[in-house]
Amino acid sequence: MTNEKWMKFCPQCGKRTDDLIDSLCRECFIRTIQLIEPGEMKVSVSICKRCGAYFRGSERTSIEDAVVHTVSREIRRRYKNRLERCMVEVNQIVRNSRRARAIVTVTVRAEIRGVTVEQTGEIEVDIKTWTCNRCSRIAGGYYAAIVQIRAQNRFPADDELATAVEIAQSSLSGEEFVSRQRLLKEGLDIYVSSMECGRRISRAIVKRLGGNFTESRRLYGRKDGRNIYRTSFAVRLPGLREGEGDLKEKM
Ligand SMILES: [Zn+2]
Ligand SMILES: [Zn+2]
């Protein structure tokens, strides 16, 4: 038999135990811990007011991803290697005229003074608006390359131009964009955000519609001690469209 007289006890609940943490029993100690303090955690994500995209660093993403990533990072920063598990779930997006915020349920399991504690709580994530890099460049008419669609001894047909535009839009990736389209008497100019995407678009157009392209670069200016170039891609579609050649020979 154990000698109860000499056992320590918890001053909070009176339970007799030798397992005291901060002079409280395990259960009472856990009750003093609050892993998720709603007002204390200042977290925010950004949304672009023009394109509506959410961002994770400079990468566009979904609101779920932006919120989950940002909150998880904050939890990891707080609990470091004491963190055993962190689950973040977006419950609701609340918008009013003054601000927008995401209501998030967070479950954290962490080791606090040798005791594993798991708690679930709710926090608010502010949704801040800004204009993303891409949108401010589009608004400023920025371009780094022009894809010039022309045809040998003729004006490109409407369906060829429509195909070229469709190819241009579907060739874009990441932060790339088409800033302008200009219909001229000799063809169509498509203004794009980078030389790389201009080249990719030109290649894809030639692959689909035939012909070839050449590129030329000219110095546009200097920025931060570096030369800034603009590149023109001269796409030349074949003089005779596929099928038309056969027709002419028979005539
Ligand atoms: Zn107790
Ligand atoms: Zn944007």
Side-chain angles (χ1 to χ4, degrees), residues 47-53 55 60 130-136 138:
I47 181 176
C48 172
K49 58 174 176 257
R50 282 174 176 266
C51 66
F55 287 84
R60 53 192 66 233
W130 69 314
T131 304
C132 78
N133 214 353
R134 180 171 177 264
C135 286
S136 47
I138 294 172

